[in-house]
């Protein structure tokens, strides 16, 4: 027998019991999420292809791993340098418009790279365009992540984040082999695929429905003051402060190690499709981990989930320098990344759940800045390490950085006590 709930959900029902809110529709029933996912996937695939292709194109043109690392660092540096400003833009402007502009500008930059290669304008022009690509990503790419909170209800954020981890795994698994296959045909078809993916991102944003306007404050502060507010909000949370510190070290060590492997294979004349298997191994590990991420994030405390995932990734890098053979290396990479999806889903959904929309763009940009601030050093460490030290010493240096991250995560009481999603509000987190 169906009864009508009172108008006030907190008011007692005629039977003296508190009315239970109606169950939310499952994630796949939210149409806006599918449009958002199309746009975000287009951006992720375009970025994956571009990240894979540009350093390899530099190696093909120059034969130098150091040059490839320098060009890649320009792009990463441009993104890091502008990410806080991107957070301010996300909190001041309509997120859907920023997503559309992001995809359009990214496709334009890729078209410029095609022109540079066709006209043989050299590495300086390619490096300048990669820097511009990084600036575009820093200013605009974060709008898509901030928009997710407007697309799905708060209770579905952990589920949506877990689903996005599976999507990221599929892109990581398929993007580099696709890039390697297309690069075997020619540089222009490979870059054209990246440009097409960015246009899909813009198209997905155009069909997105909902209110993505900013919450206007009564007094608008300066850009600098608004950017600092996001950093202060993030740094005031002990558990997030430790996560970002660990992410800074772990991202540097992991990315430097993977980039070292990619550059080593490229400079030794390995087939591009085989080089793509390195990223495919990471994608397989992410995909397997993403399958379990949803139930794990919902059922277990978020802090221990994040600690386990980050520790597994860091410790796997200690094994990597001593693993013989190509396939053994791929196996270590696959196992090491298994806990990544659950870690990312737990921490990203927690961050989005706790952050007000008014400062969400700035806080997420601040998190990216702190967590990925050292990433421009990864290709530099990889390229120059290979040139001056060789493969194993460079991987050992990456492992030492990861060991520092593992020590930081295991010593954090704030992380150990972070509860599961159902208890976030009750814990006062």
């Amino acid at each position: 027998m169906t009864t009508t709930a009172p108008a006030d959900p907190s008011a007692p029902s005629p039977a003296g019991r508190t009315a239970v809110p109606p169950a939310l529709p499952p994630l796949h029933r939210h149409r806006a999420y599918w449009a958002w996912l199309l746009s975000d996937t287009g951006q992720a695939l375009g970025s994956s292809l571009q990240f894979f292709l540009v350093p390899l194109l530099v190696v093909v043109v120059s034969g130098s791993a150091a040059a490839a690392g320098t060009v890649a660092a320009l792009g990463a540096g441009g993104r890091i340098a502008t990410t806080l400003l991107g957070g301010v833009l996300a909190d001041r402007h309509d997120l859907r418009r920023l997503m559309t502009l992001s995809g359009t500008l990214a496709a334009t930059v890729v078209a410029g790279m095609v022109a540079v290669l066709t006209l043989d304008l050299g590495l300086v022009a390619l490096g300048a365009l990669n820097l511009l690509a990084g600036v575009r990503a820093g200013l605009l790419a974060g709008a898509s992540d901030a928009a997710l909170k407007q697309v799905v209800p708060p209770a579905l954020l952990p589920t949506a984040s877990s689903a996005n981890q599976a999507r990221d795994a599929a892109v990581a698994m398929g993007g580099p082999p696709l890039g390697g296959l297309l690069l075997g045909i020619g540089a222009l078809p490979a870059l054209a695929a990246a440009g097409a993916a960015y246009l899909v991102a813009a198209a997905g944003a155009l069909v997105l429905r909902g209110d993505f306007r900013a919450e206007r404050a009564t007094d608008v502060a300066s850009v600098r003051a608004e950017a600092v507010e996001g950093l202060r909000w993030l740094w005031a949370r002990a558990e997030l402060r430790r996560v970002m510190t660990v992410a800074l070290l772990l991202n540097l060590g992991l990315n430097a190690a993977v980039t070292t492997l990619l550059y080593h294979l490229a400079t030794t004349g390995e087939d591009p499709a085989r080089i793509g298997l390195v990223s495919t191994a990471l994608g397989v590990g992410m995909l397997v981990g993403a399958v379990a991420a949803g139930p794990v994030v919902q059922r277990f405390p978020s802090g221990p989930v994040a600690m386990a995932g980050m520790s597994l990734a860091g410790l796997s890098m200690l094994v990597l320098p001593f693993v013989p053979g190509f396939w053994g290396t791929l196996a270590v990479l696959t196992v090491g990344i298994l806990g990544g999806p659950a870690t990312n889903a737990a921490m990203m959904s927690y961050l989005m759940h706790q952050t007000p929309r008014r400062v969400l763009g700035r806080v997420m940009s601040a998190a990216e800045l702190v967590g990925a601030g050292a990433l421009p050093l990864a290709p530099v460490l990889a390229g120059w390490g290979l040139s001056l030290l060789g493969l194993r010493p460079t991987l050992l240096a990456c492992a030492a950085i990861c060991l520092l991250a593992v020590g930081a995560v295991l010593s954090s009481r704030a992380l150990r006590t972070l509860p599961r999603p159902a208890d976030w509000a009750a814990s006062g987190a």
Side-chain angles (χ1 to χ4, degrees):
M1 179 177 179
T2 304
T3 58
T4 303
D8 182 1
S10 62
S13 66
R17 294 175 296 180
T18 301
V20 178
L24 287 171
L27 183 63
H28 68 268
R29 297 284 297 276
H30 290 264
R31 294 182 180 179
Y33 173 73
W34 289 106
W36 176 90
L37 185 63
L38 175 66
S39 178
D40 198 61
T41 300
Q43 179 169 265
L45 180 58
S47 297
S48 176
L49 290 171
Q50 186 174 329
F51 173 80
F52 176 78
L53 290 170
V54 171
L56 293 184
L57 290 173
V58 174
V59 171
V60 170
V61 172
S62 67
S64 170
T70 302
V71 171
L74 285 173
R79 176 163 190 163
I80 295 301
T82 55
T83 187
L84 284 182
L85 180 56
V88 174
L89 292 176
D91 287 337
R92 285 187 175 187
H93 299 283
D94 186 292
L95 294 172
R96 179 172 51 192
R97 293 179 180 177
L98 293 180
M99 291 167 65
T100 305
L101 181 61
S102 177
T104 304
L105 288 181
T108 303
V109 171
V110 171
M113 292 180 176
V114 171
V116 164
L117 293 174
T118 302
L119 300 175
D120 196 19
L121 298 181
L123 292 181
V124 173
L126 188 60
L129 282 172
N130 205 42
L131 173 62
L132 183 59
V135 170
R136 189 277 316 169
L139 293 177
L140 299 172
S144 181
D145 290 334
L148 181 59
K149 187 173 183 177
Q150 309 302 114
V151 171
V152 301
L156 290 179
L157 281 176
T159 303
S161 295
S162 299
N164 296 345
Q165 292 301 309
R167 185 280 318 275
D168 289 343
V171 170
M173 188 167 56
L178 175 61
L181 178 64
L182 293 172
L183 188 58
I185 301 173
L188 301 187
L191 288 174
Y198 284 130
L199 290 178
V200 169
L206 283 174
V207 302
L208 190 60
R209 294 293 176 263
D211 185 5
F212 296 91
R213 294 173 295 179
E215 294 181 2
R216 285 292 183 182
T218 54
D219 53 335
V220 179
S222 67
V223 171
R224 178 180 178 182
E226 290 193 20
V228 170
E229 183 182 1
L231 280 169
R232 285 177 176 170
W233 192 98
L234 179 68
W235 210 247
R237 313 295 293 256
E239 73 283 5
L240 295 176
R241 185 168 64 244
R242 180 58 65 97
V243 167
M244 294 302 105
T245 302
V246 172
L248 176 71
L249 295 169
L250 198 56
N251 284 336
L252 174 59
L254 287 172
N255 280 275
V258 173
T259 305
T260 297
L261 292 173
L262 292 174
Y263 289 1
H264 170 71
L265 294 172
T267 54
T268 54
E270 193 65 67
D271 181 75
R274 188 175 168 92
I275 296 174
L277 291 177
V278 174
S279 296
T280 299
L282 294 171
V284 170
M286 289 180 63
L287 187 59
V288 173
V291 172
V296 167
V297 169
Q298 292 287 3
R299 296 176 186 176
F300 295 96
S302 300
V305 167
M307 294 176 72
M310 289 187 284
S311 297
L312 178 62
L315 292 173
S316 69
M317 293 300 103
L318 300 179
V319 179
L320 192 62
F322 306 102
V323 175
F326 179 76
W327 298 107
T329 297
L330 297 189
V332 171
L333 293 176
T334 301
V335 172
I337 206 66
L338 284 174
T343 297
N344 292 338
M347 291 296 96
M348 287 303 298
S349 57
Y350 174 77
L351 177 63
M352 296 174 73
H353 184 276
Q354 299 299 320
T355 308
R357 167 66 181 97
R358 181 181 61 84
V359 294
L360 181 60
R362 283 167 285 165
V363 169
M364 294 189 71
S365 294
E368 180 179 353
L369 175 65
V370 177
L375 279 187
L377 295 176
V380 175
L381 175 60
W384 289 99
L386 277 175
S387 298
L388 299 176
L389 303 175
L391 177 61
R392 177 170 288 182
T394 305
L395 290 177
L396 286 171
C398 299
I401 297 171
C402 291
L403 184 61
L404 291 176
V406 172
V409 75
L410 293 179
S411 63
S412 173
R413 182 181 181 279
L415 269 179
R416 285 197 301 271
T417 57
L418 193 63
R420 64 193 180 99
D423 300 323
W424 284 345
S427 68

